[in-house]
Amino acid sequence: MSAENAAVVNIAREGQVLVVTIQNPPVNALSQAVRQGLADAVAQARSDAQVQAILLVGSGKAFIAGADIREFGKPAMPPSLPDVLVQLENSDKIVVAAIHGPALGGGLEVALSCHYRLAVSGAKLGLPEVQLGLLPGAGGTQRTPRLIGVKAALDLMLSGRHASAEEALAMGLVDQVEPAGSDARTAGLAYANALLAQNAPVRRTREATALADKAASQAELDAAKAESAKKSRGLFSPGKIIECVQGALDLPFEQGMQNERKLFVQCLESPQRAGLIHAFFAERETAKIPEAKAAAPRALNSIGVVGGGTMGAGITVAALDAGLPVVMVERDAESIARGRANVEKVYDGLIAKGRMTAEKKAAIMARYSGSTDYAALAQVDLVIEAVFEEMGVKKAVFAELDKVCKPGAVIATNTSYLDIDAIAASISRPQDVIGLHFFSPANIMKLLEIVVPAKVSADVVATAFELARRMKKVPVRAGVCDGFIGNRILAVYREAANYLLEDGASPYQIDEAVREFGYPMGPFQVADLAGGDIGWATRKRKAATRNPQARYVQIADRIAEKGWFGQKTQRGYYLYPQGARVGEQDPEVLAIVDAERQRAGVTPRSFSNAEIMRRYMAAMVNEGANVVREGIALRPLDVDVTFLYGYGFPRFRGGPMKWADMVGLDKILADIREFAKEDALFWTPSPLLVELVDKGENFESLNKAA
């Protein structure tokens, strides 16, 4: 064994057991040296007559958390993981995996090629490759269904979720579970020696019999295929995973492995993989901000929330779920009772679904308190204002917080658009003020835009990112402007949709084109869900500052004037009879659109869905470039993550800026210049986009420079 392999794979004989410890920090990823070390360990066990069993265990906090991401995009180095695992499974001496912490992707595939598996409570087992546009490529699609059946195997592989040790035991993925805190090496040694004492046979997973009832297995596969077609619309790798499992059902193991390899390579070559890999890395980069290098977070042991409406309650649940005590303040007893009810409703929903016990809810709610007196916030470390989106209302709340909050408390506003510099300037401690723009529902949506005003202290920014980490949010640093990153860009591509509507496309066709692209909903469906009154109020707020030269489409105003605010009023762009969640097309809306076209002197023309998306995406990318150029977003990847986690952008496309790189910035700039012949003001190319095209560079080059 080479020195490098020996460093990452330690081999020690304990009696009849060869203990093989993977020690490749931080997560024991399957680097080339680890793969070679495992192959060498199997060879050593085979040649040592005193060894009767092999025990695989991980050092530190993980068994093996998967492939080595440092090798992504580089030429594959031998030995390949599938080959190593065949050697492991073919061992004529029993092989035991002792799993603690994560056993994910290739890590679980290693465990599956062992003959027996023990897990320590708290372990996480999963095959998350689908999230990177891939499939388990080292026998996972062949061994897993043979061991636990088609339904359970496809559930793991198509969702990419993690199973607990206890669930893994129930489904037959592992053979034994040890209590939390047990030492995996000690437990694994005891288990291996017990198996030897029983003369336990070599038990190869590829020979497991969960697929014996072929008709039942095929029925489960067909059901999963139908479900996946609905859930994974437009995605490449889920279909390939299903094909692999069909191979496990129809083919001998070796041919099934060849089929898996062929389909794995197809996934590798899919453009979706590039988008998904970018999304994976981009999410990990957004927390790398200048302030985190400059300062440590302040103490963060308690939270205050002002406002108990939908947003305030959602933020409260997110904080409670993070283990923090929360004090909610509302204006009167009736409002605080309603705020508490809004919080409890979330937990009652979980209880109704069997995902929480009444006892757990009671324990969480013990950390909640409500008050009508701002003085109740005197000792909290961080307070989040979540009241009505109006500057006067916000400033009044901040004046109260300035009086009662202790020195050094972080004071945050959950505004979507308003000028946080102006809010900060209205109190005596602007250095403590930050924007925390949660997305609704705040306890579910992962994105948190952390908006950094001019005078804020670096440690306040670091504290906001620490709060995001505890809440398991994906944080993105944003500068102050109208709408920050997401809503500022949204306003522009929403305007492009309005122009398409007035120029001849129907709201229903535009929504269909956007859904075909991969969004869960189109812009007019989203408007109906959010409530047309909100957009109407924003347009009225901005009316005085609107450029009189800019084209303004009034269709949304005509609909709002009728009191049609979307789902809440049972009609908006769509009809929602009896409170239906899915809308029906409305001929009266089309009549309003026609009338507005005539008033504006527009002769309608037809657009293909592809033409709709050319304009929609060009507007999005162009404004994204402006946001990066102005420093509102640190890097293009911050724009991507904002749209992936806050606006339903299809993950397999990587985000708008990554999508633009894949299409070609020169093509997008050419489109913008073509559209500018109709409306030079709206379609002004971003200077950053022009500069990148002139230099032959792309947005990715700016991610690397940051």
Side-chain angles (χ1 to χ4, degrees):
M1 186 180 282
S2 74
E4 187 187 358
N5 298 344
V8 296
V9 178
N10 177 267
I11 297 176
R13 191 156 61 77
E14 298 266 354
Q16 295 180 294
V17 182
L18 193 72
V19 181
V20 180
T21 306
I22 296 103
Q23 41 192 32
N24 184 26
V27 293
N28 298 327
L30 287 159
S31 65
Q32 189 275 336
V34 170
R35 299 193 301 274
Q36 187 63 59
L38 285 173
D40 293 346
V42 175
Q44 184 171 329
R46 189 188 308 124
S47 63
D48 188 339
Q50 291 181 295
V51 170
Q52 296 304 308
I54 302 171
L55 172 66
L56 287 192
V57 66
S59 64
K61 294 182 178 177
F63 176 66
I64 300 169
D68 191 334
I69 56 176
R70 290 167 296 196
E71 294 182 5
F72 281 14
K74 295 179 182 170
M77 297 281 288
S80 76
L81 187 59
D83 289 348
V84 173
L85 299 193
V86 167
Q87 292 170 41
L88 201 59
E89 191 174 46
N90 283 348
S91 167
D92 54 6
K93 298 174 181 183
I94 64 169
V95 185
V96 177
I99 300 164
H100 75 294
L104 302 174
L108 182 53
E109 289 179 299
V110 170
L112 287 167
S113 65
C114 298
H115 306 143
Y116 295 89
R117 286 160 294 281
L118 169 148
V120 175
S121 186
K124 294 185 292 189
L125 296 87
L127 295 165
E129 288 85 353
V130 71
Q131 292 167 359
L132 298 180
L134 295 173
L135 54 82
T141 69
Q142 302 305 295
R143 291 188 179 96
T144 316
R146 282 175 165 84
L147 185 66
I148 62 173
V150 166
K151 187 176 180 183
L154 279 175
D155 171 55
L156 280 179
M157 290 188 278
L158 293 176
S159 68
R161 69 181 183 84
H162 301 165
S164 67
E166 290 75 14
E167 186 191 356
L169 179 67
M171 67 170 73
L173 206 55
V174 301
D175 305 296
Q176 191 166 311
V177 171
E178 295 293 317
S182 300
D183 178 66
R185 189 181 194 275
T186 305
L189 257 178
Y191 184 41
N193 282 317
L195 289 166
L196 288 175
Q198 297 160 22
N199 286 320
V202 164
R203 195 185 58 169
R204 297 188 173 97
T205 304
R206 66 169 181 249
E207 293 161 5
T209 57
L211 301 180
D213 186 340
K214 186 153 185 195
S217 296
Q218 187 63 56
E220 289 177 350
L221 188 72
D222 292 342
K225 194 184 291 186
E227 180 70 12
S228 180
K230 283 188 286 186
K231 274 190 182 168
S232 307
R233 191 171 44 83
L235 288 176
F236 184 78
S237 67
K240 299 299 164 186
I241 289 170
I242 289 167
E243 278 186 55
C244 284
V245 175
Q246 185 72 62
L249 206 50
D250 296 341
L251 302 170
F253 182 76
E254 284 73 15
Q255 284 176 252
M257 288 290 286
Q258 288 165 11
N259 187 51
E260 178 188 86
R261 176 55 34 181
K262 179 187 78 177
L263 296 172
F264 180 80
V265 170
Q266 288 179 17
C267 290
L268 272 181
E269 292 169 351
S270 161
Q272 291 191 3
R273 175 179 171 261
L276 289 162
I277 293 276
H278 173 78
F280 176 85
F281 283 113
E283 180 191 331
R284 282 149 183 77
E285 288 294 312
T286 58
K288 295 177 183 173
I289 53 159
E291 291 86 356
K293 293 178 190 143
R298 294 183 183 178
L300 188 56
N301 299 311
S302 56
I303 298 277
V305 176
V306 181
T310 303
M311 183 55 83
I315 294 169
T316 299
V317 170
L320 290 170
D321 287 350
L324 291 159
V326 180
V327 180
M328 179 187 281
V329 169
E330 260 287 7
R331 61 182 176 273
D332 52 42
E334 186 185 339
S335 300
I336 200 67
R338 195 161 49 241
R340 182 184 180 107
N342 286 338
V343 172
E344 293 207 34
K345 186 172 155 192
V346 173
Y347 294 121
D348 289 340
L350 294 174
I351 291 170
K353 290 175 184 164
R355 287 163 53 193
M356 179 175 280
T357 63
E359 293 75 20
K360 180 79 193 279
K361 175 195 163 185
I364 291 171
M365 290 305 296
R367 284 188 272 107
Y368 167 92
S369 58
S371 178
T372 56
D373 186 351
Y374 278 95
L377 301 171
Q379 293 307 314
V380 300
D381 293 321
L382 182 148
V383 61
I384 303 166
E385 161 278 307
V387 300
F388 187 67
E389 187 78 347
E390 199 277 315
M391 185 60 92
V393 177
K394 302 272 192 196
K395 283 186 176 177
V397 169
F398 267 72
E400 295 296 329
L401 295 175
D402 197 17
K403 287 181 208 162
V404 302
C405 288
K406 68 184 181 183
V410 175
I411 308 177
T413 175
N414 175 59
T415 179
S416 306
Y417 288 96
L418 300 179
D419 182 348
I420 300 175
D421 283 320
I423 295 172
S426 73
I427 66 170
S428 67
R429 37 173 135 176
Q431 73 279 5
D432 295 333
V433 175
I434 195 155
L436 292 177
H437 179 210
F438 289 84
F439 286 69
S440 189
N443 54 304
I444 293 170
M445 291 291 280
K446 299 272 284 183
L447 182 68
L448 178 58
E449 267 187 311
I450 294 174
V451 189
V452 179
K455 293 188 176 170
V456 69
S457 296
D459 61 350
V460 170
V461 182
T463 307
F465 274 81
E466 171 62 14
L467 177 68
R469 187 188 69 77
R470 291 207 207 165
M471 287 184 167
K472 297 187 169 64
K473 300 290 184 197
V474 177
V476 173
R477 184 194 188 281
V480 174
C481 67
D482 198 271
F484 319 130
I485 297 174
N487 283 341
R488 171 172 161 177
I489 297 170
L490 166 68
V492 174
Y493 68 78
R494 189 67 182 70
E495 203 59 28
N498 289 338
Y499 295 166
L500 281 158
L501 178 60
E502 193 170 71
D503 286 340
S506 78
Y508 314 120
Q509 186 198 359
I510 295 166
D511 281 352
E512 177 190 40
V514 171
R515 288 195 307 272
E516 278 179 5
F517 182 80
Y519 273 88
M521 300 172 80
F524 298 101
Q525 289 172 292
V526 170
D528 277 359
L529 181 64
D533 49 336
I534 296 170
W536 194 27
T538 302
R539 291 191 297 279
K540 285 191 276 195
R541 173 171 66 84
K542 291 182 176 180
T545 56
R546 189 183 300 126
N547 182 344
Q549 304 302 311
R551 179 180 177 184
Y552 181 69
V553 176
Q554 298 180 30
I555 294 167
D557 295 343
R558 297 295 90 79
I559 290 171
E561 283 160 9
K562 288 184 172 290
W564 300 351
F565 297 146
Q567 290 191 14
K568 65 174 95 171
T569 58
Q570 301 196 359
R571 69 188 305 183
Y573 289 97
Y574 292 79
L575 288 166
Y576 302 91
Q578 285 88 48
R581 303 289 291 174
V582 179
E584 299 171 4
Q585 296 188 15
D586 185 348
E588 286 189 63
V589 166
L590 295 177
I592 290 170
V593 172
D594 280 338
E596 280 299 306
R597 286 170 182 159
Q598 288 173 15
R599 185 199 56 76
V602 172
T603 304
R605 56 197 163 112
S606 63
F607 295 88
S608 69
N609 287 6
E611 287 169 329
I612 287 169
M613 290 315 297
R614 270 177 69 203
R615 289 168 184 261
Y616 195 79
M617 289 305 302
M620 192 183 300
V621 170
N622 198 48
E623 192 62 15
N626 286 331
V627 161
V628 172
R629 177 174 175 264
E630 292 169 27
I632 301 301
L634 285 179
R635 303 148 291 210
L637 68 82
D638 294 280
V639 175
D640 286 337
V641 170
T642 298
F643 277 84
L644 290 170
Y645 285 96
Y647 295 83
F649 194 92
R651 189 175 176 85
F652 67 87
R653 297 191 189 276
M657 313 310 267
K658 175 64 176 177
W659 174 85
D661 279 353
M662 292 198 284
V663 168
L665 299 193
D666 54 337
K667 288 184 182 165
I668 289 169
L669 181 58
D671 277 349
I672 290 167
R673 285 173 168 157
E674 181 189 324
F675 304 149
K677 293 170 188 170
E678 302 165 20
D679 183 345
L681 183 61
F682 182 78
W683 293 107
T684 303
S686 168
L688 177 61
L689 187 59
V690 174
E691 180 190 328
L692 288 171
V693 171
D694 286 347
K695 286 184 183 169
E697 291 180 356
N698 60 10
F699 289 125
E700 182 61 38
S701 65
L702 302 178
N703 292 332
K704 289 172 182 155

